[in-house]
């Protein structure tokens, strides 16, 4: 009996003769191989699933081709470059921060000193471990050179807004460096 889905099968009566079975099995094998090749080719059209064509994506976006790197890293670099294409707007930076961190974000433009900053938003004031190195790297690539990009770390105001006490430090053993790497998630208002 055939392993093809019902809609692709030939009627069972053709499986009565050994010669017909051999032909149908050969055709099925080739059909499955061709379908796999089509699926593989379709995967190459998207940077998230590209394998053997990944070097073309890297070349298109000016990324040095290094086939010794893991596919996930190479795909991430391609996705980052694709995201960075076009004119940079505050909304574009906000969407990038949301995509990379999973937190809502707000952009504040400070025209007096040609800078802009990023603030993370959530349901309540809290602290979170956010690796903003990727956000910083991506924004630095896409922002206009004359603007300064600021992601501020913790301030005393942030610590007070989340209600941290010395008891929290006793209950949550952490190093000072680990504490300083946290970011304040501001309550959405």
């Amino acid at each position: 009996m055939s392993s093809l889905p019902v809609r692709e099968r030939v009627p069972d009566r053709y499986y009565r003769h050994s010669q017909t079975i051999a032909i149908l099995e050969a055709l099925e094998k080739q059909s499955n191989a061709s379908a796999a090749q089509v699926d593989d080719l379709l995967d190459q059209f998207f940077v998230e699933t590209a394998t053997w064509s990944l070097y073309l994506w890297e070349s298109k976006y000016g990324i040095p081709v290094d086939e010794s790197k893991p596919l996930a890293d190479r795909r991430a670099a391609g996705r980052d470059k694709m995201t960075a294409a076009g004119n940079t707007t505050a909304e574009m930076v906000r969407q990038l921060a949301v995509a990379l961190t999973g937190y809502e974000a707000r952009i504040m433009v400070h025209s007096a000193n040609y800078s802009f900053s990023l603030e993370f938003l959530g349901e309540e004031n809290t602290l979170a471990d956010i690796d903003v190195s990727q956000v910083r790297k991506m924004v630095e690539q896409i922002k206009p050179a004359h603007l300064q990009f600021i992601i501020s770390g913790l301030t005393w105001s942030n610590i007070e807004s989340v209600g941290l006490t010395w008891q929290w430090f006793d209950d949550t053993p952490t190093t000072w460096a680990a504490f300083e790497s946290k970011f304040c998630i501001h309550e959405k208002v």
Side-chain angles (χ1 to χ4, degrees):
M1 199 56 129
S2 172
S3 64
L4 289 172
V6 174
R7 65 180 171 75
E8 295 178 11
R9 290 186 196 163
V10 296
D12 287 341
R13 68 179 180 272
Y14 291 108
Y15 285 92
R16 292 185 190 139
H17 304 288
S18 60
Q19 293 171 334
T20 308
I21 291 171
I23 292 170
L24 290 174
E25 286 175 351
L27 288 172
E28 181 180 348
K29 182 178 177 183
Q30 187 56 47
S31 174
N32 288 337
S34 295
Q37 288 175 332
V38 168
D39 288 343
D40 182 51
L41 180 62
L42 289 174
D43 285 347
Q44 307 316 306
F45 287 102
F46 305 94
V47 75
E48 288 297 327
T49 54
T51 53
W52 53 264
S53 72
L54 202 48
Y55 77 95
L56 295 170
W57 287 97
E58 292 167 324
S59 298
K60 176 179 174 69
Y61 288 101
I63 302 167
V65 177
D66 182 357
E67 293 185 358
S68 67
K69 289 183 177 179
L71 283 177
D73 293 349
R74 295 173 63 200
R75 288 175 178 149
R79 184 183 58 246
D80 292 347
K81 281 288 191 172
M82 289 171 61
T83 305
N87 291 336
T88 303
T89 63
E91 178 60 17
M92 179 188 213
V93 173
R94 188 195 71 73
Q95 288 176 356
L96 178 68
V98 169
L100 293 174
T101 66
Y103 287 96
E104 280 298 315
R106 178 182 330 161
I107 301 294
M108 290 151 306
V109 178
H110 314 285
S111 54
N113 63 354
Y114 298 99
S115 68
F116 63 99
S117 57
L118 181 64
E119 212 175 54
F120 297 104
L121 307 172
E123 297 303 314
E124 62 182 1
N125 286 342
T126 187
L127 295 182
D129 292 314
I130 298 175
D131 179 11
V132 294
S133 61
Q134 188 70 9
V135 176
R136 186 179 309 279
K137 179 179 159 191
M138 284 304 304
V139 171
E140 287 297 329
Q141 287 179 3
I142 65 173
K143 74 172 182 64
H146 70 283
L147 294 179
Q148 180 183 9
F149 175 55
I150 302 165
I151 298 180
S152 359
L154 285 177
T155 64
W156 283 111
S157 172
N158 295 149
I159 293 170
E160 290 171 354
S161 75
V162 297
L164 282 188
T165 62
W166 289 111
Q167 186 62 46
W168 181 88
F169 287 98
D170 289 340
D171 296 342
T172 314
T174 186
T175 65
W176 190 252
F179 176 70
E180 284 184 322
S181 71
K182 293 186 179 296
F183 286 84
C184 185
I185 306 299
H186 300 276
E187 182 178 6
K188 288 187 235 179
V189 253

